[in-house]
């Protein structure tokens, strides 16, 4: 609590009392803490790949370059880590635009099927590599007024997560249908699931249930925060249901107009 006080005097200039104003600054402190945590997280996430890039480049220059096997191995690490940095910076900029309402949605009438034509070949290929069965159901022709690039991002992030957090030979399904004035998108997997405590937090920036696992699969911990912002920018809503070791289902409702 922050207290601001002022004395009150009577006509003869004697102290009569005081006014005290109590400001509840809990919310202010909390958002300050969130901002500090965010900066600390960003620094840490950027530092890790940078340290690694620098270290391997130095080792190469110190002589490892002479050995063909090491050279290839170290250059591959440098390439992967720089790709990681690129994804991270891209996601951070994206999130920052979304959070500052700077992102102007480029809304137009789009056909969901043609949108999926751009995405499905990529994600199906990723699913195949883990021998995951990927089913898509699009009921009738679905049209929606939305930003096509942002909507693609939503699909890609959710499906990538479903693939990353589902063991080999699993099942993933994407189903899209119109319900009254809304389009409902459901992405469901039979993967590792999310505990009840974590479920409320997965939309926070950098929150990951298992940091090592997320990093190994190329995750930045920002994907769902971005998804939620995009959905809300379209006046939609997102919900998640999950059971540990049974699977996870994300359900999005977007107004058609
Ligand atoms: P990440 O880049 O780590 O995947 P996200 O913001 O996309 O970041 O997701 C946050 C966390 O939520 C993930 O690290 C993971 O722990 C959990 N998560 C997201 N999707 C799923 C899913 N389909 N199944 C299980 N856990 C998930």
């Amino acid at each position: 609590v922050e207290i601001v006080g002022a004395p009150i005097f009577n006509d003869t200039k004697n102290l009569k009392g005081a006014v005290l104003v109590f400001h509840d600054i809990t919310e202010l402190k909390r958002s300050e803490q969130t901002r500090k945590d965010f900066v600390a997280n960003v620094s840490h996430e950027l530092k890790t790949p940078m340290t690694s890039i620098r270290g391997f480049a130095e080792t190469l220059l110190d002589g490892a370059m002479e050995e063909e096997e090491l050279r290839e191995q170290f250059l591959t690490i440098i390439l992967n880590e720089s790709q990681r940095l690129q994804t991270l910076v891209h996601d951070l900029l994206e999130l920052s635009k979304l959070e500052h309402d700077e992102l102007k949605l480029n809304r137009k009438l789009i056909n969901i099927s043609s949108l999926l034509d751009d995405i499905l070949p990529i994600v199906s290929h990723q699913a195949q590599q883990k021998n995951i069965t990927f089913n898509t159901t699009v009921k009738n022709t679905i049209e929606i007024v939305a930003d096509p690039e942002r909507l693609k991002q939503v699909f890609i992030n959710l499906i990538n997560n479903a693939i990353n957090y589902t063991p080999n030979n699993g099942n993933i399904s994407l189903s899209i249908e119109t319900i009254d004035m809304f389009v409902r998108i459901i992405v469901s997997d039979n993967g590792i699931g999310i505990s009840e405590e974590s479920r409320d937090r997965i939309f926070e920036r950098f929150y990951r249930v298992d940091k090592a696992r997320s990093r190994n699969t190329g995750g930045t911990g920002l994907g769902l925060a971005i998804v939620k912002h995009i959905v809300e920018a379209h006046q939609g809503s997102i919900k998640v249901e999950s059971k540990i070791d049974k699977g996870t289902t994300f359900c999005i409702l977007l107004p058609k107009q």
Side-chain angles (χ1 to χ4, degrees), residues 161-162 165 189 193-194 202 207-209 214 219-224 248:
N161 278 349
Y165 302 104
D189 65 59
I194 306 165
I202 51 172
Y207 181 83
R208 293 122 144 186
V209 178
S214 153
T220 58
L222 297 174
L224 285 180
T248 305

Side-chain angles (χ1 to χ4, degrees), residues 89-98 103 150 153 226:
V89 171
H90 170 270
D91 282 4
L92 279 170
L93 286 175
E94 191 75 2
L95 198 59
S96 151
K97 280 192 228 156
L98 287 162
L103 186 115
R150 308 289 151 200
Q153 191 71 59
I226 291 175

